[in-house]
Amino acid sequence: MRETEFDQPQRQTPGGSRGGEPGSVWLREESARSRPAPLSRARIVDAAVTLLDQHGIDGLTMRRLAQSLDVTSTALYWHVKTKEDVLDLAVDHVFGDVPFPEPTDDWRADARALVRDWRAVMLRHPWSPGLIGRPMLGPNVLARTEYLQSALVRGGFTDLRLAVATRLLANYVIGAALTEATWRLVEGSAVRATARQLIAASPDAYPTLNASGHLDATRWGDDELFERGLDAILAMEP
């Protein structure tokens, strides 16, 4: 099945433009023109998330998406302009599954709860971490970033320290989820075990990696490594 131009990612900078319009779906106003019923943007995004969970980013095409909705690709164009729009909407949609912890007097516990659930949601949708370098301006993403920063502000962070702490936590959870999701995709072929054997077979070249148990999943699991890393980050002072 050949992809159409509509399926292919558009070349643009994160804040760039196509045809004189802002590049991100979040920076464009929705068209007020009449749209064919019963199709809606919400239905499109729900179907897209299902396809992404099943087939990953490369497996999502506008033609396949239209077929899953029993509409034509042209009908999709009334609601989304490109596949990139769909991806942006899908990422924000799954962020809506990250619950808001009830704020407490312990800012570290609040930040931990949010970040822990953020990781869990990304691992349930393993395609999502790889997309989070895109413009993150959707309402679900912004609301959860607001919660995270409000917890940090209650911890005494301001100005540059607040920006640094926000980025540190966000980059940590995204990077951890991306790494774990990638490993999980190849675990069936025992790639991690093979990688560990490669290191163990060269103790002179990698003495520290051998001593530290690098890539040895039998020593520490992903959950423990994630929690210990989060401990280290949240030990920071404003």
Side-chain angles (χ1 to χ4, degrees), residues 95-171:
F95 257 78
D97 293 338
V98 180
F100 287 112
E102 189 67 29
T104 70
D105 293 334
D106 187 343
W107 70 268
R108 288 186 174 88
D110 295 346
R112 178 185 296 279
L114 181 78
V115 171
R116 181 184 288 153
D117 287 333
W118 182 358
R119 167 180 173 253
V121 166
M122 287 191 289
L123 291 178
R124 289 202 299 271
H125 303 281
W127 50 270
S128 62
L131 291 176
I132 296 182
R134 302 168 65 81
M136 301 299 290
L137 300 173
N140 289 322
V141 171
L142 292 179
R144 281 146 186 83
T145 306
E146 170 69 22
Y147 180 97
L148 177 60
Q149 282 212 346
S150 70
L152 293 169
V153 167
R154 283 186 278 114
F157 290 85
T158 58
D159 300 325
L160 179 59
R161 291 286 292 169
L162 175 61
V164 169
T166 303
R167 178 169 292 193
L168 187 59
L169 284 164
N171 287 352

Side-chain angles (χ1 to χ4, degrees), residues 10-30 81-82 84-85 88 135 137:
Q10 303 294 308
R11 294 180 181 177
Q12 61 181 71
T13 60
S17 63
R18 293 188 301 264
E21 294 183 330
S24 172
V25 66
W26 305 114
L27 299 178
R28 281 185 261 121
E29 292 185 9
E30 282 196 65
K81 287 185 175 293
T82 66
E84 291 195 350
D85 285 358
D88 288 340
L137 300 173

Side-chain angles (χ1 to χ4, degrees), residues 183-206:
W183 278 118
R184 291 183 186 190
L185 288 174
V186 299
E187 280 296 274
S189 58
V191 172
R192 188 172 349 201
T194 302
R196 178 59 195 169
Q197 291 170 6
L198 176 67
I199 293 171
S202 305
D204 293 336
Y206 312 116

